[in-house]
Amino acid sequence: MQLSVSMVMTMSTMKPCHTTAILVLLLSLGIASMRLSAQSQSVASPQAQSANVPPSATQSPLRFEVVSIHPHKFAGDEPSDRRVLPGGRFVATATTVRTLIRIALDTDDNRMSGAPGWIDNEMFDINAITADHAEITTPQQFQQLILALLEDRFQFKFHRDQREGPVYWLELDKPGKTGPALKLSTPASKPGMSVNSNGSSAVMTVSKASMADIAAALHRQAGRPIEDHTDLKGTFDFRIEWATEETPDSSYPSLFTVLKEQLGLKLQPAAGVIETVVIDQISHPSAN
């Protein structure tokens, strides 16, 4: 099966007014809260590791064994595209380095600083294959692979910083009451989240996602980080549609109206702590 990595790029390339089809699977595994910076770990005995740690947790992370990077040669108005293919292959065309950073670190342009201009102006074609053709099966693996590619071939170094800034709190519009379109997941539900936009309207379909994951997915649509303050437990299913650009002749209401009327939720402006990515070093790609 071919898996389009727009599922991760959703979230890395989509702007509400652009035509985009995105699929964000397994958000319930915590993409939005994942932090790729190294963390210290205590060393356990081999016996303890074998007894308490699942085998998958002790496996080495996936790495690209073969990577070819070339400046993109424009032949027309071809779109930027990124795909994960069978056999552990990743193919990108007309892709900027800023896009790769957004994917790897799950961040936005307005939460990234220290970037030289060429990471926006120059595009690259990339063809990469994992060691032993290991399959890329989760968004987390894909993000780790892209971060390693940036570090190995673009000499990418960064650190994270925090600052105060505007956020939204996702809250219940009326205490203890949800909207008609917000349903608790059934045992048959499978984790999934998709947003499809045609430029004038957007459709969001959610299955078996927590409120924290829903808040994380909505932040690109709302234009600022969103914190979950609903106190709703469990996972939920819903489908909503809204106007990406509200005009007098819009066929659909705004996102804020849809959230309130259909899901019983509201986005309350607030001040919060926003994590930013500071680029310490980035260079043109090393030779193939």
Side-chain angles (χ1 to χ4, degrees):
M1 180 183 71
Q2 177 174 301
L3 177 63
S4 170
V5 298
S6 56
M7 69 178 185
V8 179
M9 253 85 50
T10 121
M11 303 196 311
S12 62
T13 61
M14 192 185 78
K15 295 182 180 179
C17 61
H18 289 175
T19 300
T20 310
I22 61 173
L23 175 63
V24 186
L25 296 177
L26 306 178
L27 270 173
S28 59
L29 297 180
I31 294 175
S33 62
M34 186 178 75
R35 295 294 177 260
L36 298 175
S37 54
Q39 298 178 354
S40 60
Q41 298 179 349
S42 58
V43 178
S45 66
Q47 292 83 355
Q49 289 182 348
S50 61
N52 300 318
V53 180
S56 59
T58 61
Q59 295 175 353
S60 300
L62 292 183
R63 302 284 291 191
F64 285 130
E65 185 175 53
V66 178
V67 180
S68 173
I69 303 175
H70 298 281
H72 178 71
K73 296 180 179 179
F74 284 96
D77 191 25
E78 65 271 41
S80 176
D81 186 55
R82 290 149 297 280
R83 292 185 178 275
V84 168
L85 303 175
R89 186 181 174 199
F90 166 61
V91 177
T93 56
T95 296
T96 66
V97 174
R98 184 183 289 274
T99 296
L100 296 176
I101 295 173
R102 285 200 302 259
I103 296 168
L105 302 182
D106 188 27
T107 191
D108 298 322
D109 287 348
N110 60 4
R111 291 192 287 160
M112 195 186 305
S113 65
W118 67 266
I119 77 166
D120 297 297
N121 302 329
E122 300 182 25
M123 294 186 176
F124 298 90
D125 297 335
I126 301 172
N127 196 324
I129 302 174
T130 58
D132 298 323
H133 296 271
E135 299 291 352
I136 305 168
T137 58
T138 68
Q140 292 93 331
Q141 287 179 331
F142 181 66
Q143 289 177 294
Q144 291 167 351
L145 283 165
I146 298 301
L147 179 59
L149 183 151
L150 286 165
E151 292 173 337
D152 294 343
R153 298 297 301 275
F154 293 87
Q155 292 76 56
F156 177 54
K157 295 181 181 180
F158 73 100
H159 70 274
R160 297 184 185 271
D161 200 1
Q162 292 184 335
R163 59 177 174 83
E164 290 188 356
V167 302
Y168 284 123
W169 284 8
L170 183 65
E171 301 176 336
L172 283 171
D173 184 46
K174 297 179 180 179
K177 185 177 180 180
T178 59
L182 187 65
K183 307 293 185 181
L184 279 170
S185 301
T186 67
S189 298
K190 296 182 179 180
M193 189 175 295
S194 68
V195 178
N196 296 284
S197 173
N198 63 12
S200 61
S201 66
V203 177
M204 183 176 190
T205 305
V206 170
S207 178
K208 206 166 188 176
S210 69
M211 274 296 146
D213 293 332
I214 293 167
L218 283 170
H219 88 274
R220 288 189 180 278
Q221 319 304 320
R224 64 175 71 173
I226 299 176
E227 300 176 6
D228 173 33
H229 288 265
T230 62
D231 290 328
L232 293 176
K233 308 302 181 184
T235 59
F236 299 87
D237 301 349
F238 64 82
R239 181 186 184 279
I240 56 174
E241 188 168 3
W242 68 92
T244 53
E245 293 184 1
E246 194 173 13
T247 61
D249 59 347
S250 295
S251 301
Y252 300 97
S254 69
L255 173 63
F256 289 77
T257 299
V258 169
L259 288 175
K260 181 177 292 188
E261 294 180 353
Q262 297 188 29
L263 304 185
L265 305 174
K266 64 180 180 181
L267 294 176
Q268 184 68 32
V273 176
I274 300 174
E275 187 177 77
T276 61
V277 171
V278 181
I279 297 176
D280 299 315
Q281 176 180 311
I282 190 80
S283 303
H284 284 83
S286 56
N288 294 311

